[in-house]
């Protein structure tokens, strides 16, 4: 059974390095919505960076914090929410987001993702000996979850401005369809 939907917000899901935060900020500015980033909220609540949460408490503890964070957003309105790449892997997270947000997935190829994340150190899952292979494997594993978004936007063929515009158009269509 599908829970009733009351689309007030936009949630951006997708793999690391697909531009969720950058596009999210642009969309929020355009709509005059609040921009929220689940990683930033978790880091603020935990008082330490994601890498430290993973290293000291483990990934399971991070996923628990992430789930609590997602649930805490259910009463939000007029927000653009950029989510961590692992959020939709927990079906309860996606179900929660869908009650109040249009869920848009930003999609990119493993090559493009590698280009975007290489040289960065704040993502524990790609701080591994063979990050390119890790991206390929993790992206393939997660694809079925990302495909459950309401809208899938292929970022490879478009400018940031075009991607942001597409997200806004889809949001307006979804709101008017109510
Ligand atoms: C993760 C993605 C990261 C962050 C954490 C785990 C993932 O967020 O939540 O490092 O599992 O893909 P971004 O997608 O914003 O990089």
């Amino acid at each position: 059974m599908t829970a009733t939907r009351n689309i007030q917000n936009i949630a951006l899901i997708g793999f690391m390095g697909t531009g969720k935060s950058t596009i999210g900020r642009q969309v929020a500015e355009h709509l005059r919505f609040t921009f929220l980033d689940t990683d930033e909220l978790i880091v603020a609540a935990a008082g330490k960076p994601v890498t430290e949460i993973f290293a000291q408490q483990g990934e399971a503890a991070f996923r628990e914090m992430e789930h609590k964070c997602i649930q805490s957003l259910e009463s939000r309105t007029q927000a653009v929410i950029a989510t961590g790449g692992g959020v939709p892997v927990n079906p309860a997270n996606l179900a929660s987001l869908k009650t109040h947000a249009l869920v848009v997935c930003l999609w990119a190829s493993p090559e493009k993702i590698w280009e975007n994340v290489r040289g960065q150190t704040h993502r524990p899952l790609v701080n591994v000996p063979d990050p390119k292979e890790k991206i390929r494997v993790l992206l393939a594993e997660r694809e079925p979850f990302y495909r459950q978004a309401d809208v899938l936007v292929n970022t490879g063929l478009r400018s940031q401005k075009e991607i942001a515009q597409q997200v806004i158009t889809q949001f307006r269509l979804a709101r008017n369809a109510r």
Side-chain angles (χ1 to χ4, degrees):
M1 197 183 88
T2 318
T4 316
R5 300 189 66 178
N6 180 15
I7 295 177
Q8 300 278 345
N9 307 304
I10 298 172
L12 296 177
I13 67 168
F15 206 78
M16 297 169 251
T18 51
K20 291 166 291 183
S21 300
T22 312
I23 300 297
R25 279 200 176 85
Q26 291 180 12
V27 171
E29 196 177 325
H30 191 96
L31 293 174
R32 296 176 200 272
F33 277 20
T34 307
F35 174 74
L36 300 168
D37 182 306
T38 59
D39 282 342
E40 283 175 12
L41 295 171
I42 294 164
V43 167
K48 51 185 154 184
V50 172
T51 43
E52 270 180 39
I53 301 174
F54 267 70
Q56 295 169 3
Q57 296 169 259
E59 182 174 348
F62 175 80
R63 297 302 172 198
E64 190 49 41
M65 293 176 198
E66 190 167 60
H67 179 59
K68 288 213 171 79
C69 174
I70 293 290
Q71 282 183 319
S72 76
L73 301 172
E74 284 182 358
S75 57
R76 284 276 177 173
T77 59
Q78 301 199 317
V80 178
I81 306 159
T83 64
V87 160
V89 174
N90 179 349
N93 288 341
L94 203 53
S96 169
L97 290 172
K98 281 193 175 178
T99 61
H100 61 86
L102 181 75
V103 178
V104 179
C105 178
L106 302 186
W107 182 263
S109 67
E111 294 74 24
K112 184 73 188 152
I113 289 168
W114 169 239
E115 231 177 82
N116 293 346
V117 304
R118 67 187 303 174
Q120 299 179 346
T121 55
H122 65 282
R123 293 181 171 103
L125 292 179
V126 287
N127 286 343
V128 292
D130 190 351
K132 272 171 143 173
E133 181 58 13
K134 178 81 184 194
I135 290 168
R136 251 191 300 276
V137 169
L138 208 52
L139 185 62
E141 262 174 36
R142 289 180 175 178
E143 184 173 344
F145 301 102
Y146 293 141
R147 284 196 177 278
Q148 290 172 36
D150 296 307
V151 181
L152 204 68
V153 178
N154 193 342
T155 62
L157 310 166
R158 299 177 172 90
S159 69
Q160 286 185 348
K161 199 174 165 196
E162 285 170 326
I163 297 163
Q165 198 49 59
Q166 195 173 351
V167 173
I168 292 163
T169 303
Q170 292 295 333
F171 179 64
R172 290 191 169 136
L173 283 172
R175 296 258 286 197
N176 291 338
R178 285 188 302 168

